[in-house]
Amino acid sequence: MRYTSFLLLMVVLTSCITPRPSVKFAENVVVAHRGAWKKNDLPENSIAALRQAIDLGCTGAEFDVWMTADDSLVVNHDAHFNKLPIEKTNYADLLTFKLSNGEKLPTLREYIQAGMRDNKSTRLVCEIKPSTVSKERGKAVAGRAVKLIQELGAQDRVVYITFDYEMILHIHSLVPEVPAQYLNGDKSPEELRAVGIQGADYHFSVFKKHPEWVAQAKANGIALNAWTVNQADDMDRLLGQGFEYITTNEPELLFERIAKFNSASR
């Protein structure tokens, strides 16, 4: 009996110290905005669009998080789902409606679990939406999302992004080891570095207005990401400037531009 107990204890200890397989992210710049949905007419932010981004080999798949009235974390871009305000509606009532491909509105748990399955190369780029109710509720959503992602063991696969400066600072304070990128475009790379934020994820027009921020970001170790880049000439310019990430609704086109860029660079 003692020997059996000893063996069981050794199995438990071994499982605790055995390292998880490391994630090696794809070495490209392609972040599929709301998943890879457009080419195959999939719903944005659907699990099908997420899986398509993973199958394409994108380095990242972006998605958006809200919290319902009864505190369920769900994935959807807009503040409304089928005209129902997400933050003021219970999740069961949102389930009255389906996505266009027949999926139900995914919870964050379901979405993260789907993103971990058979995925060794695609980051999960988690955008926490600022609350329409209050700043404090927004921080609460961020805290709950971070906690859930930790519980699921997905922390090493995630990048956090948000438009709310106070929220990105809050997320960074909770998990300083996880990459966080600011979206709003009103802070220089030097300002981001000063508070520990690792990435400037701005609309591509911001970098046109502030071309000096590209060199400043590189000098300060700030990751460069531009959204939402759907035209070939914009893609080509950002590739030439050495952006680490380009967020797009057209991941297939961006892969084509990367191939041409790499061919011309040889």
Side-chain angles (χ1 to χ4, degrees), residues 33-34 45 61-66 74-77 108 124-130 141 145 158-164 167 171 181 183 201 227 247:
H33 185 232
R34 309 176 198 170
N45 273 317
E62 184 266 354
F63 59 97
D64 307 279
V65 177
W66 295 91
V74 297
V75 177
N76 192 67
H77 179 264
L108 179 60
L124 303 175
V125 183
C126 178
E127 179 176 346
I128 309 294
K129 288 293 189 178
V141 175
V158 167
V159 176
Y160 290 106
I161 61 176
T162 185
F163 280 92
D164 188 294
M167 190 188 294
I171 292 169
Q181 300 180 2
L183 291 170
D201 185 358
W227 56 269
T247 301

Side-chain angles (χ1 to χ4, degrees), residues 47 51 54 110 112-120 157:
I47 288 176
R51 294 305 310 175
I54 293 169
E110 292 165 342
I112 294 295
Q113 288 174 331
M116 295 176 70
R117 188 178 67 250
D118 298 325
N119 173 20
K120 297 180 179 179
R157 301 168 182 263

